[in-house]
């Protein structure tokens, strides 16, 4: 039972939706816009990189990235992201959310530009420097996950907290969409200014020297939206929950939130001292008390994010390969370099526009009505259904007359990923853990997700290869094929449903109720679960 709550935190919980909420959403959301743009824009230009640096003169088909290079280019940013999530998640609880928040943005801006300016014109030099800077780009992106989620959850009110955090995460969809649009614009301009024939008509002329600028411009553009929000990140005050419950500075917490909420809030120094020195609120991450109280929920958030990202990143990074396999993107030799970038970008933009982006905003609209648990369970269920519906009759969908149906089914898996676990796995870890461990636990959960993304990115690259060694991409061994890969992803989604039963329902409760920081007991109370608590905010 709740014994007491600081006035400053109570004021935040019951505050009406106002300008500072939307300001926080925009500031945090633009970071996520950049995150998604930078992570996924590489999939738009990997075919172009193969043409530019690995085409063999006289070959029947344009060059492609060798397996080890493709795996590195696609996966190195994810490795960096995993490291950044763990490091900056921990640092956010040690130094404060705001202080670390600006640092992650500077890393992202610097490394976005450096990635596009990768040195040299020899394949090894360009790929080595591209991978180096994309690792550190991912490192900065990784910090944005726990910090953005934690800041938004600690600023939000109880009633619409889920929608606010979901709105920040929804900017990921906008970033994916912007990457596709940017690639369409740049490739169209270059195709018009430097027209080139298809590879099969004139292999040399199909790749004008200026094509090297296409991928560099697309990659560098990701720095612009991040740079524009740096000033506003630095103007944000530290969250009251960190200032009061971690730094134990009641006066500054009250003063900061008095300005934000435009109302007088008194400092409760004695209560802060009492709450923060209570033994039930002082256990560490590696204690038995943490394991007893938060162990199963942490297992739930890490496992579901891990499983979700195996499927989600496989789909996102390798859409172009699936669309090529079903004939939605023509064979590479029938296009010039700029035309191929255009076709890949158009296909991915269409998927983003019709399913990815709407899925995110459906979550924003319904999460505080349906609850996190129901949306996550529903999303995993329909992802499983549609993945199997694509996979088992795959030969039917691969026929030319059925390709539109395939794309619709494929798009629905994206819709329910985003109106489902891709959003909720980001939201819940920012709500259910204590303030002093919130950023760390979110970083751990997110890092588990990126471990899944790495498996998806590296594994699917090989697994989706044709079972006939003669039909694989150059340099790749035979795989299990796209059909069997999709079946495996469907099974993974089903397992995600099972682990969702470990995830608590935070809907309608304050962060202190969820974490037990207001409780005077020894942490014996259980999390409210969907099975015994289906309350919605009133």
């Amino acid at each position: 039972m709740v014994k007491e709550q600081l006035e400053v935190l109570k004021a935040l919980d019951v505050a009406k939706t106002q300008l500072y909420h939307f300001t926080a959403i925009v500031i945090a959301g633009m970071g996520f816009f950049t995150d998604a743009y930078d992570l996924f824009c590489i999939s738009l230009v990997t075919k172009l990189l193969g043409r530019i640096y690995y085409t063999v003169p006289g070959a029947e088909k344009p060059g492609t990235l060798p397996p080890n290079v493709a795996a590195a280019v696609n996966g190195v940013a994810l490795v960096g992201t995993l490291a950044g999530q763990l490091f900056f998640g921990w640092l956010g609880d040690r130094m404060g959310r705001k202080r670390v928040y600006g640092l992650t943005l500077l890393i992202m801006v610097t490394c976005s530009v450096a990635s596009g300016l990768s040195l040299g014109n020899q394949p090894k030099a360009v790929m080595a420097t591209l991978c180096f800077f994309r690792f550190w780009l991912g490192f900065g992106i990784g910090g944005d996950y726990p910090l953005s989620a934690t800041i938004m959850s600690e600023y939000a009110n109880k009633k619409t907290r889920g929608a606010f955090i979901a709105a920040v995460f929804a900017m990921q969809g906008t970033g994916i969409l912007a990457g596709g649009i940017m690639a369409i614009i740049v490739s169209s301009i270059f195709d018009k200014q430097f027209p080139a024939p298809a590879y099969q008509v004139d292999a040399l002329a199909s790749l004008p020297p200026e094509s090297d600028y296409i991928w560099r411009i697309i990659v560098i553009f990701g720095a612009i939206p991040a740079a524009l929000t740096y000033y506003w990140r630095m103007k944000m005050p530290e969250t009251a929950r960190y200032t009061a419950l971690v730094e134990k500075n009641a006066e500054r917490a009250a003063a900061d939130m008095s300005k934000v909420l435009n109302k007088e809030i008194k400092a409760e120094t004695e209560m802060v001292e009492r709450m923060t020195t209570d033994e039930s609120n002082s256990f560490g991450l590696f204690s038995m008390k943490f394991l007893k109280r938060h162990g199963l929920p942490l297992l739930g958030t890490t496992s579901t994010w891990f499983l979700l990202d195996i499927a989600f990143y496989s789909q996102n990074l390798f859409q172009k390969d699936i669309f090529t396999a079903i004939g939605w993107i023509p064979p590479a030799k029938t296009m010039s370099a700029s035309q191929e970038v255009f076709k890949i970008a158009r296909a991915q933009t269409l998927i983003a526009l019709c399913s990815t982006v709407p899925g995110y905003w459906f979550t924003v609209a319904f999460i505080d009505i349906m609850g996190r648990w129901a949306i996550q369970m529903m999303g995993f269920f329909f992802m499983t259904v549609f993945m199997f519906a694509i996979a088992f009759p795959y030969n039917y969908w691969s026929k030319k007359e059925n390709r539109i149906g395939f794309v619709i089914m494929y798009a629905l898996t994206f819709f329910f990923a985003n109106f489902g676990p891709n959003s909720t796995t980001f939201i819940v870890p920012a709500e259910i853990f204590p303030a002093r461990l919130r950023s760390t636990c979110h970083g751990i959960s997110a890092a588990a997700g990126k471990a899944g993304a790495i498996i998806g990115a590296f594994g699917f690259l090989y697994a989706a290869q044709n079972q006939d060694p003669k039909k694989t991409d150059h340099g790749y061994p035979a795989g299990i094929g796209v059909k069997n890969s999709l079946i495996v992803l469907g099974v993974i989604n089903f397992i995600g449903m099972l682990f969702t039963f470990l995830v608590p329902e935070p809907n309608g409760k304050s962060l202190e109720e969820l974490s037990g920081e207001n409780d005077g007991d020894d942490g014996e109370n259980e999390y409210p679960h969907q099975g015994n608590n289906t309350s919605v905010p009133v």
Side-chain angles (χ1 to χ4, degrees), residues 107-334:
I107 294 172
M108 287 157 57
V109 170
T110 303
C111 293
S112 285
V113 174
S115 296
L117 298 177
S118 295
L119 306 174
N121 55 12
Q122 295 301 310
K124 283 187 178 179
V126 174
M127 293 303 142
T129 52
L130 176 62
C131 288
F132 175 81
F133 287 119
R134 278 190 64 78
F135 172 85
W136 290 109
L137 172 64
F139 191 68
I141 288 171
D144 237 39
Y145 275 74
L147 294 169
S148 291
T150 300
I151 286 171
M152 199 66 244
S153 72
E154 293 182 345
Y155 264 108
N157 58 48
K158 283 196 298 186
K159 187 176 181 181
T160 55
R161 186 179 62 237
F164 288 158
I165 306 173
V168 170
F169 195 61
M171 293 301 289
Q172 187 179 77
T174 311
I176 294 170
L177 181 63
I181 292 172
M182 186 66 184
I184 287 172
I185 293 170
V186 173
S187 60
S188 297
I189 291 172
F190 273 80
D191 193 43
K192 187 174 182 179
Q193 293 297 316
F194 309 102
Y199 182 88
Q200 63 186 7
V201 174
D202 189 334
L204 188 62
S206 72
L207 185 67
E210 295 81 6
S211 299
D212 192 50
Y213 292 110
I214 295 176
W215 72 270
R216 296 180 185 274
I217 293 171
I218 293 170
V219 169
I220 289 174
F221 180 80
I224 296 174
L228 294 176
T229 58
Y230 180 77
Y231 171 77
W232 297 107
R233 279 200 182 190
M234 293 298 92
K235 290 265 290 182
M236 289 179 76
E238 181 58 84
T239 70
R241 286 180 161 93
Y242 183 83
T243 305
L245 300 178
V246 183
E247 289 188 330
K248 305 179 184 181
N249 190 334
E251 290 82 3
R252 186 155 69 86
D256 286 345
M257 292 308 106
S258 293
K259 292 177 184 177
V260 168
L261 296 171
N262 199 25
K263 63 180 287 188
E264 189 64 34
I265 299 173
K266 68 177 182 179
E268 298 168 290
T269 306
E270 288 184 11
M271 189 183 292
V272 166
E273 185 67 24
R274 189 165 63 251
M275 290 176 67
T276 54
T277 55
D278 190 322
E279 285 187 12
S280 65
N281 288 332
S282 58
F283 55 85
L285 180 66
F286 299 104
S287 65
M288 286 303 297
K289 194 168 285 188
F290 177 89
L291 183 64
K292 184 177 181 181
R293 187 165 195 168
H294 303 290
L296 281 179
L298 183 59
L299 176 61
T301 59
T302 52
S303 59
T304 52
W305 206 336
F306 172 78
L307 294 163
L308 176 275
D309 271 9
I310 293 176
F312 185 74
Y313 277 80
S314 295
Q315 289 174 257
N316 252 311
L317 287 170
F318 302 106
Q319 282 183 58
K320 62 186 184 304
D321 299 310
I322 291 174
F323 289 146
T324 299
I326 64 161
W328 214 46
I329 297 173
K333 65 182 180 181
T334 65

Side-chain angles (χ1 to χ4, degrees), residues 354-364 414-420 423:
C354 295
S355 63
T356 305
V357 173
Y360 284 110
W361 290 102
F362 263 70
T363 301
V364 175
F414 274 102
F415 176 80
F416 282 106
N418 296 310
F419 183 32
S423 296

